[in-house]
Amino acid sequence: MMKDGDMELIMEIARFEASVDMEKEYRIGWSWRHVRIWPATLSRLFKDGYLDNVFRSNSFTGYKLTEKAKAIVLANQQEDTVGPQPKPMVNLGDELFTDVIGHEDVKILLKATLLAEKPVHVMLTGPPALAKTLFLWDIEQTFGEQAIWLVGSAISKAGLWDLVAEREPKILLIDEMDKMNAVDMAALLTMMEGGRLVRAKRGRELDINNPLKVVAASNRLEKLSPELRSRFAIRKLNAYGRSEFLTVVKGVLVRKEGLSDELAEEIARKLDGRSQDVRDAIRIARLAPQVGVDKAISLLLGGETGTGSD
Ligand SMILES: Nc1ncnc2c1ncn2[C@@H]1O[C@H](COP(=O)(O)OP(=O)(O)OP(=O)(O)O)[C@@H](O)[C@H]1O
Ligand SMILES: [Mg+2]
């Protein structure tokens, strides 16, 4: 069988052969000086059938790769391109985002950005109750200390820059981004490009070798400056369609609110066409034990069901 390290030697030689014109300049083969591999090693590769000895004189021994060696190179290159790609996904685990029902493309997008070597910042935007906050929350759960979760309106008095300089997170999760104050927004602009803040005190500089990834959520984009928007991949979540809404409501009521499948199904079905908001379903689920599903719906949403007398 092939000796350890021979594969690398053969790949090395293959790279050399690919970089020159073997038909013209190297018709009599290359020598150990060209590939910078010791002659004794080359003659062993020759003996093992990986090299052809195409020319030999007192001062020059010319080699080139045999068909056998080229077949190995080809197989190895295919392994390289097909093999390692799916690997990183395993690390992030399939557990990330199991809380979130549907939104498959957003899950893929966020996983890809979390795995990426260099930052791609993502902002989730769209109407209420579409799991934007849930996405941020799940990232925090998985990344623990490496992530900081912030709400735009409630960043500490020290300010965003000091917070990040001190805790050195890899990921910054910012919910309700549109409510962030101007100073913090300005700091964020610099941070997102891996820049330095001129006013930063000593010990308050950011580690430029540890580029920060930002995942943010916001209902409204209008409040954000164009330069801030430009730094994000803005992913708009659209309101749920009818069947999506049913699936999400059933899932949330069973998993989070602890309802039976039957009751969750009933609430989801009765809300169909009356509400698009998952939070309505949660409120109804919480009141139903007291007043029943129909009454809870009429109390909360008004309208014809129930007694209608109030
Ligand atoms: N696709 C979903 N999967 C699981 N839970 C969901 C989904 N969509 C909505 N929910 C539930 O709806 C509620 C609201 O979700 P969340 O707080 O993430 O919404 P949001 O998009 O951040 O809304 P807002 O814009 O109002 O902040 C939560 O209880 C959440 O569990
Ligand atoms: Mg939210």
Side-chain angles (χ1 to χ4, degrees):
M1 286 279 25
M2 192 181 272
K3 267 183 66 175
D4 278 347
D6 280 2
M7 190 71 210
E8 276 88 302
L9 290 174
I10 290 168
M11 294 306 286
E12 189 72 46
I13 294 168
R15 275 191 289 274
F16 172 79
E17 287 199 355
S19 71
V20 299
D21 188 342
M22 289 299 291
E23 301 304 315
K24 287 195 183 141
E25 292 165 79
Y26 290 87
R27 276 183 61 194
I28 58 165
W30 40 260
S31 81
W32 69 275
R33 283 190 187 82
H34 296 116
V35 294
R36 300 198 187 99
I37 298 173
W38 202 239
T41 309
L42 292 179
S43 74
R44 188 172 52 72
L45 290 175
F46 168 72
K47 216 158 70 268
D48 291 344
Y50 299 118
L51 296 179
D52 258 340
N53 187 192
V54 282
F55 182 86
R56 193 179 178 93
S57 74
N58 283 342
S59 59
F60 187 90
T61 305
Y63 290 108
K64 62 179 175 188
L65 289 174
T66 59
E67 291 310 313
K68 173 179 165 184
K70 285 178 188 167
I72 292 171
V73 168
L74 201 65
N76 194 44
Q77 280 166 345
Q78 277 161 358
E79 229 170 73
D80 272 359
T81 50
V82 180
Q85 276 169 359
K87 253 189 219 156
M89 288 308 264
V90 179
N91 301 336
L92 256 184
D94 297 326
E95 274 136 64
L96 183 58
F97 303 139
T98 45
D99 276 353
V100 181
I101 300 160
H103 291 309
E104 296 307 328
D105 281 355
V106 180
K107 289 181 188 174
I108 295 170
L109 170 68
L110 288 175
K111 283 187 185 181
T113 60
L114 292 169
L115 288 169
E117 207 176 311
K118 294 180 182 166
V120 172
H121 312 293
V122 178
M123 169 137 50
L124 304 177
T125 177
L130 293 181
K132 298 184 295 297
T133 297
L134 194 56
F135 269 113
L136 301 190
W137 206 76
D138 276 2
I139 296 172
E140 197 208 13
Q141 293 296 302
T142 299
F143 285 84
E145 293 280 282
Q146 297 185 330
I148 300 186
W149 196 85
L150 301 163
V151 178
S153 54
I155 289 172
S156 77
K157 286 215 184 67
L160 182 63
W161 188 277
D162 285 351
L163 193 70
V164 169
E166 199 172 302
R167 293 192 26 202
E168 299 186 344
K170 287 209 166 70
I171 305 163
L172 200 56
L173 304 164
I174 308 177
D175 203 4
E176 301 179 20
M177 177 81 205
D178 46 316
K179 300 193 183 71
M180 198 185 241
N181 68 50
V183 176
D184 288 334
M185 281 214 197
L188 191 61
L189 283 183
T190 312
M191 266 178 217
M192 289 176 78
E193 302 272 84
R196 287 157 183 275
L197 193 72
V198 180
R199 286 191 306 121
K201 300 181 206 104
R202 193 167 302 162
R204 287 287 190 248
E205 285 125 16
L206 300 190
D207 180 2
I208 39 175
N209 299 318
N210 179 21
L212 191 67
K213 292 175 186 173
V214 182
V215 183
S218 172
N219 292 111
R220 256 158 279 140
L221 292 178
E222 309 89 70
K223 284 208 172 168
L224 306 177
S225 66
E227 59 272 30
L228 191 60
R229 269 181 275 170
S230 157
R231 282 162 172 75
F232 281 103
I234 295 181
R235 183 62 168 79
K236 184 161 193 308
L237 305 189
N238 296 313
Y240 297 129
R242 268 180 79 188
S243 70
E244 265 175 322
F245 183 70
L246 288 176
T247 314
V248 171
V249 166
K250 276 189 275 180
V252 171
L253 295 191
V254 170
R255 289 196 221 162
K256 293 243 183 81
E257 297 294 315
L259 266 59
S260 68
D261 286 346
E262 295 72 35
L263 192 52
E265 168 85 39
E266 185 190 345
I267 293 175
R269 199 164 26 81
K270 287 182 171 166
L271 268 185
D272 185 21
R274 301 208 57 194
S275 169
Q276 289 256 68
D277 191 331
V278 181
R279 292 191 180 108
D280 277 334
I282 294 173
R283 282 188 283 267
I284 288 157
R286 291 178 183 176
L287 295 190
Q290 286 69 245
V291 296
V293 174
D294 289 327
K295 184 69 177 168
I297 291 177
S298 72
L299 286 171
L300 288 166
L301 303 179
E304 68 283 7
T305 25
T307 61
S309 58
D310 325 313

